[in-house]
Amino acid sequence: MRHGKKGNHLGRTASHRKAMLSNMASSLIIHKRIETTLAKAKELRKYVEPLLTRAKEDSTHNRRVVFSYLNDKESTKELFGVVSDKIASRPGGYTRIIKLGSRLGDAAETALIELVDFNDALLLANADKPAKTRRSRRGGAKKDETGVAAAAPVKKEDHPVVAEAEPVADEAPATNDEAAENNESPESTTEKE
């Protein structure tokens, strides 16, 4: 019985599963995103996220531990070089799984697993958006005795005084008499302006 055993064996022997996850983790680190089945992507996330956490602190011990899981010098070097710099400030959740639908041949659910900090299109889209402000329905600004919200004092240096120019009189729209002289309807004169 396998009561309480959460891991998915993916229909493979232990050695095959370990080798497959190692290869997939190396590919994910080098290419930043890979397409696979949903079940494999979920298992890969559990396999690779602790390695990414270890890469945040570059020490000989962490490099040896990560290399024992990946068995690939290039991916280990990439992980401790480029990837660790990008994920240094992130407290976890380094990967994202996006479902793609079912595969044509065997109807297996496919998914895209990617490193969150390396999706350039999404990062650029988020950079263009203004920062979200948190809106709360509870309580507003503190009010003083008069019932008006207290405002911060304004310095004169912050807002220079600009002299107002005299308003220039706009040309009046053509009257019916002037429109008749020009053989135009009054409606057409207003459209031109």
Side-chain angles (χ1 to χ4, degrees):
M1 286 186 278
R2 57 178 311 274
H3 294 303
K5 295 182 181 174
K6 285 191 266 186
N8 188 346
H9 297 298
L10 301 171
R12 287 160 171 79
T13 61
S15 58
H16 184 183
R17 182 176 183 277
K18 182 181 172 190
M20 183 193 69
L21 289 173
S22 173
N23 286 331
M24 289 176 70
S26 294
S27 296
L28 178 65
I29 290 166
I30 291 171
H31 300 294
K32 312 304 184 252
R33 74 171 52 115
I34 56 173
E35 186 177 332
T36 182
T37 62
L38 185 61
K40 285 181 193 173
K42 287 179 177 180
E43 284 303 303
L44 178 60
R45 174 191 274 172
K46 286 194 274 187
Y47 187 85
V48 81
E49 294 231 353
L51 301 180
L52 293 168
T53 303
R54 276 198 179 269
K56 289 164 93 174
E57 184 185 337
D58 191 1
S59 66
T60 307
H61 176 66
N62 283 346
R63 280 182 179 266
R64 286 178 177 164
V65 170
V66 168
F67 182 75
S68 74
Y69 280 89
L70 295 179
N71 298 320
D72 184 25
K73 276 186 190 176
E74 292 305 314
S75 59
T76 304
K77 190 159 63 167
E78 178 83 7
L79 177 60
F80 281 91
V82 178
V83 177
S84 67
D85 292 340
K86 282 243 188 171
I87 65 171
S89 61
R90 185 174 288 276
Y94 312 107
T95 57
R96 173 188 297 124
I97 295 176
I98 302 167
K99 294 181 182 179
L100 297 178
S102 14
R103 197 158 53 192
L104 209 54
D106 58 355
E109 284 223 31
T110 57
L112 184 78
I113 182 168
E114 65 182 3
L115 297 176
V116 171
D117 294 313
F118 288 90
N119 188 341
D120 296 329
L122 194 64
L123 291 174
L124 290 175
N126 287 342
D128 293 343
K129 292 181 185 175
K132 288 187 179 181
T133 57
R134 184 171 170 262
R135 295 191 176 100
S136 175
R137 293 181 58 166
R138 289 181 270 138
K142 299 278 182 184
K143 296 184 179 182
D144 58 4
E145 304 86 44
T146 61
V148 179
V154 179
K155 295 180 183 177
K156 287 193 173 193
E157 295 85 33
D158 293 344
H159 302 286
V161 177
V162 178
E164 294 182 18
E166 292 184 24
V168 178
D170 294 334
E171 287 187 25
T175 60
N176 290 343
D177 297 332
E178 293 172 358
E181 290 174 7
N182 296 336
N183 294 332
E184 296 175 351
S185 66
E187 290 82 21
S188 65
T189 58
T190 57
E191 290 173 3
K192 288 181 182 177
E193 296 176 42

mmCIF file of all heavy atoms in Angstrom, residues 8 14 25 38-39 56 60 70 77 90 116 119 125 127 138 155-157 166 182:
data_model
loop_
_atom_site.group_PDB
_atom_site.id
_atom_site.type_symbol
_atom_site.label_atom_id
_atom_site.label_comp_id
_atom_site.label_asym_id
_atom_site.label_seq_id
_atom_site.Cartn_x
_atom_site.Cartn_y
_atom_site.Cartn_z
ATOM 1 N N ASN A 8 4.811 11.315 -7.485
ATOM 2 C CA ASN A 8 4.359 10.588 -8.666
ATOM 3 C C ASN A 8 5.560 9.851 -9.247
ATOM 4 O O ASN A 8 6.584 10.455 -9.551
ATOM 5 C CB ASN A 8 3.795 11.570 -9.697
ATOM 6 C CG ASN A 8 3.137 10.886 -10.861
ATOM 7 O OD1 ASN A 8 3.305 9.699 -11.067
ATOM 8 N ND2 ASN A 8 2.386 11.650 -11.621
ATOM 9 N N ALA A 14 13.104 3.776 -10.228
ATOM 10 C CA ALA A 14 13.698 4.879 -9.478
ATOM 11 C C ALA A 14 14.888 5.479 -10.218
ATOM 12 O O ALA A 14 15.032 6.708 -10.288
ATOM 13 C CB ALA A 14 14.122 4.400 -8.097
ATOM 14 N N ALA A 25 15.839 19.002 -15.424
ATOM 15 C CA ALA A 25 16.266 20.155 -14.632
ATOM 16 C C ALA A 25 17.416 20.879 -15.318
ATOM 17 O O ALA A 25 17.443 22.119 -15.364
ATOM 18 C CB ALA A 25 16.671 19.708 -13.230
ATOM 19 N N LEU A 38 2.114 17.563 -18.109
ATOM 20 C CA LEU A 38 1.773 18.256 -16.878
ATOM 21 C C LEU A 38 2.294 17.503 -15.648
ATOM 22 O O LEU A 38 2.825 18.117 -14.715
ATOM 23 C CB LEU A 38 0.251 18.422 -16.789
ATOM 24 C CG LEU A 38 -0.284 19.220 -15.617
ATOM 25 C CD1 LEU A 38 0.253 20.640 -15.646
ATOM 26 C CD2 LEU A 38 -1.801 19.231 -15.629
ATOM 27 N N ALA A 39 2.187 16.171 -15.648
ATOM 28 C CA ALA A 39 2.650 15.375 -14.508
ATOM 29 C C ALA A 39 4.166 15.518 -14.326
ATOM 30 O O ALA A 39 4.652 15.685 -13.202
ATOM 31 C CB ALA A 39 2.277 13.913 -14.699
ATOM 32 N N LYS A 56 21.271 30.299 -4.440
ATOM 33 C CA LYS A 56 21.310 31.689 -3.983
ATOM 34 C C LYS A 56 22.543 31.975 -3.134
ATOM 35 O O LYS A 56 23.028 33.098 -3.093
ATOM 36 C CB LYS A 56 20.039 32.007 -3.195
ATOM 37 C CG LYS A 56 18.812 32.089 -4.090
ATOM 38 C CD LYS A 56 17.552 32.017 -3.309
ATOM 39 C CE LYS A 56 17.049 33.380 -2.949
ATOM 40 N NZ LYS A 56 15.723 33.311 -2.309
ATOM 41 N N THR A 60 31.111 26.172 -1.923
ATOM 42 C CA THR A 60 31.589 24.913 -2.494
ATOM 43 C C THR A 60 30.644 23.771 -2.163
ATOM 44 O O THR A 60 30.347 22.930 -3.017
ATOM 45 C CB THR A 60 32.999 24.594 -1.957
ATOM 46 O OG1 THR A 60 33.835 25.723 -2.190
ATOM 47 C CG2 THR A 60 33.579 23.385 -2.645
ATOM 48 N N LEU A 70 22.273 17.365 -10.575
ATOM 49 C CA LEU A 70 22.199 17.675 -12.007
ATOM 50 C C LEU A 70 23.133 16.833 -12.866
ATOM 51 O O LEU A 70 22.829 16.559 -14.024
ATOM 52 C CB LEU A 70 22.503 19.158 -12.238
ATOM 53 C CG LEU A 70 21.518 20.163 -11.656
ATOM 54 C CD1 LEU A 70 21.986 21.575 -11.949
ATOM 55 C CD2 LEU A 70 20.130 19.926 -12.183
ATOM 56 N N LYS A 77 27.107 25.572 -13.707
ATOM 57 C CA LYS A 77 27.757 26.870 -13.873
ATOM 58 C C LYS A 77 26.726 27.946 -14.220
ATOM 59 O O LYS A 77 26.766 29.055 -13.675
ATOM 60 C CB LYS A 77 28.822 26.775 -14.971
ATOM 61 C CG LYS A 77 29.704 27.998 -15.040
ATOM 62 C CD LYS A 77 31.030 27.782 -15.711
ATOM 63 C CE LYS A 77 30.972 27.388 -17.144
ATOM 64 N NZ LYS A 77 32.267 27.480 -17.821
ATOM 65 N N ARG A 90 14.138 36.896 -4.858
ATOM 66 C CA ARG A 90 12.849 36.189 -4.829
ATOM 67 C C ARG A 90 12.840 35.186 -3.677
ATOM 68 O O ARG A 90 13.737 34.372 -3.557
ATOM 69 C CB ARG A 90 12.635 35.478 -6.167
ATOM 70 C CG ARG A 90 11.290 34.822 -6.310
ATOM 71 C CD ARG A 90 11.092 34.275 -7.698
ATOM 72 N NE ARG A 90 10.907 35.332 -8.661
ATOM 73 C CZ ARG A 90 9.742 35.925 -8.899
ATOM 74 N NH1 ARG A 90 8.680 35.562 -8.235
ATOM 75 N NH2 ARG A 90 9.646 36.873 -9.802
ATOM 76 N N VAL A 116 10.515 31.919 -13.728
ATOM 77 C CA VAL A 116 9.686 33.118 -13.677
ATOM 78 C C VAL A 116 10.451 34.371 -14.082
ATOM 79 O O VAL A 116 9.953 35.196 -14.843
ATOM 80 C CB VAL A 116 9.097 33.285 -12.258
ATOM 81 C CG1 VAL A 116 8.407 34.614 -12.104
ATOM 82 C CG2 VAL A 116 8.135 32.157 -11.966
ATOM 83 N N ASN A 119 11.089 35.310 -18.187
ATOM 84 C CA ASN A 119 10.059 35.511 -19.205
ATOM 85 C C ASN A 119 10.057 36.990 -19.569
ATOM 86 O O ASN A 119 9.400 37.808 -18.930
ATOM 87 C CB ASN A 119 8.693 35.071 -18.680
ATOM 88 C CG ASN A 119 7.636 35.083 -19.763
ATOM 89 O OD1 ASN A 119 7.797 35.727 -20.785
ATOM 90 N ND2 ASN A 119 6.565 34.360 -19.532
ATOM 91 N N ALA A 125 5.767 43.552 -19.985
ATOM 92 C CA ALA A 125 4.363 43.932 -19.830
ATOM 93 C C ALA A 125 4.093 44.436 -18.415
ATOM 94 O O ALA A 125 3.355 45.403 -18.225
ATOM 95 C CB ALA A 125 3.460 42.746 -20.145
ATOM 96 N N ALA A 127 6.313 45.824 -16.461
ATOM 97 C CA ALA A 127 7.046 47.070 -16.256
ATOM 98 C C ALA A 127 6.240 48.258 -16.784
ATOM 99 O O ALA A 127 6.324 49.362 -16.241
ATOM 100 C CB ALA A 127 8.399 47.009 -16.939
ATOM 101 N N ARG A 138 -12.135 49.825 4.470
ATOM 102 C CA ARG A 138 -12.147 50.197 5.882
ATOM 103 C C ARG A 138 -11.503 51.555 6.068
ATOM 104 O O ARG A 138 -10.415 51.791 5.583
ATOM 105 C CB ARG A 138 -11.376 49.174 6.712
ATOM 106 C CG ARG A 138 -12.113 47.869 6.827
ATOM 107 C CD ARG A 138 -11.317 46.937 7.676
ATOM 108 N NE ARG A 138 -10.430 46.188 6.783
ATOM 109 C CZ ARG A 138 -9.179 45.905 7.033
ATOM 110 N NH1 ARG A 138 -8.626 46.278 8.144
ATOM 111 N NH2 ARG A 138 -8.473 45.212 6.189
ATOM 112 N N LYS A 155 5.212 73.660 0.042
ATOM 113 C CA LYS A 155 6.307 74.625 -0.014
ATOM 114 C C LYS A 155 6.210 75.408 -1.308
ATOM 115 O O LYS A 155 5.798 74.874 -2.347
ATOM 116 C CB LYS A 155 7.653 73.893 0.035
ATOM 117 C CG LYS A 155 7.894 73.171 1.326
ATOM 118 C CD LYS A 155 9.244 72.468 1.284
ATOM 119 C CE LYS A 155 9.488 71.677 2.525
ATOM 120 N NZ LYS A 155 10.750 70.947 2.456
ATOM 121 N N LYS A 156 6.631 76.656 -1.271
ATOM 122 C CA LYS A 156 6.585 77.479 -2.477
ATOM 123 C C LYS A 156 7.581 76.997 -3.520
ATOM 124 O O LYS A 156 7.373 77.161 -4.701
ATOM 125 C CB LYS A 156 6.839 78.943 -2.142
ATOM 126 C CG LYS A 156 5.676 79.581 -1.446
ATOM 127 C CD LYS A 156 5.819 81.069 -1.403
ATOM 128 C CE LYS A 156 4.557 81.681 -0.842
ATOM 129 N NZ LYS A 156 4.500 83.096 -1.039
ATOM 130 N N GLU A 157 8.688 76.379 -3.085
ATOM 131 C CA GLU A 157 9.692 75.915 -4.033
ATOM 132 C C GLU A 157 9.159 74.760 -4.883
ATOM 133 O O GLU A 157 9.565 74.571 -6.010
ATOM 134 C CB GLU A 157 10.961 75.447 -3.309
ATOM 135 C CG GLU A 157 11.709 76.520 -2.563
ATOM 136 C CD GLU A 157 11.148 76.735 -1.156
ATOM 137 O OE1 GLU A 157 10.683 75.764 -0.537
ATOM 138 O OE2 GLU A 157 11.160 77.877 -0.679
ATOM 139 N N GLU A 166 -3.714 86.695 -20.391
ATOM 140 C CA GLU A 166 -5.086 87.121 -20.628
ATOM 141 C C GLU A 166 -5.716 86.185 -21.639
ATOM 142 O O GLU A 166 -5.089 85.813 -22.634
ATOM 143 C CB GLU A 166 -5.100 88.549 -21.167
ATOM 144 C CG GLU A 166 -4.645 89.563 -20.138
ATOM 145 C CD GLU A 166 -4.754 90.972 -20.675
ATOM 146 O OE1 GLU A 166 -5.556 91.205 -21.604
ATOM 147 O OE2 GLU A 166 -4.038 91.835 -20.185
ATOM 148 N N ASN A 182 -22.135 82.794 -47.841
ATOM 149 C CA ASN A 182 -21.159 81.824 -48.346
ATOM 150 C C ASN A 182 -21.825 80.588 -48.937
ATOM 151 O O ASN A 182 -21.164 79.635 -49.291
ATOM 152 C CB ASN A 182 -20.222 81.383 -47.228
ATOM 153 C CG ASN A 182 -19.389 82.532 -46.698
ATOM 154 O OD1 ASN A 182 -19.171 83.514 -47.404
ATOM 155 N ND2 ASN A 182 -18.939 82.398 -45.457
#
